[in-house]
Structure formats: C-alpha cells, structure tokens
Amino acid sequence: MQPVECATCGNQVLCEKFSPAHTSVQWTAEAGVVCTEFRGRVAAGGTSARIRTCRSLRASIDRAVADGSLTAETPDGPAQEAADA
C-alpha cells in the first residue's frame, strides 16, 4: 500500500490499485476528525465505518495516479493494464 495525502485536508490514507478500475483505501482513525466531509457526516449522526470515500480524497487519489505516484500493481508486479497504458 502506498500513502496518499488529501490535497484538501491533509488526511493521509494508504492506497493500492490492482487495476485502473480497482482502488483499495485503508482509512486511519483520524479520518473522522481530520477530513471535513467525514467530520460533517459523523457530526450528523453517521459512523465513519459506513463512509466509502470523500470527493476531495478521490480527486487526490486520481491526481496521484495521473502523476505516477500511485500505480496499479499486483502482488507479482505492475498490472497488465497499467503496463500497457
């Protein structure tokens, strides 16, 4: 997993991609406090465990993919789709 920092709030998560369409995100406990979108949903009575993502973090992950700092890889190496792109 590779660290990705949200450009909006600075929350850092761990991400991995096994293909261009697949992104796995490991959230930290601080997400409910640091992320403004999470904080708002939690304050409204939701739980952070039910929140799939936030728009700002999604945009930060997309930028990391575009600039090459987050790449699609399988346990055996670069994903075929990423290698062909």
Side-chain angles (χ1 to χ4, degrees), residues 2-73:
Q2 301 168 324
V4 175
E5 185 174 301
C6 179
T8 300
C9 71
N11 185 41
Q12 187 175 50
V13 298
L14 294 174
C15 294
E16 62 186 348
K17 292 188 73 61
F18 293 125
S19 73
H22 174 270
T23 304
S24 179
V25 177
Q26 181 178 343
W27 294 93
T28 63
E30 293 83 27
V33 176
V34 175
C35 174
T36 56
E37 189 167 334
F38 270 43
R39 189 173 52 234
R41 291 187 195 177
V42 170
T47 74
S48 62
R50 300 227 182 246
I51 302 171
R52 293 182 55 157
T53 192
C54 84
R55 291 176 295 273
S56 296
L57 180 63
R58 180 75 247 168
S60 295
I61 292 170
D62 290 345
R63 276 192 296 279
V65 170
D67 72 18
S69 59
L70 179 63
T71 58
E73 294 190 16

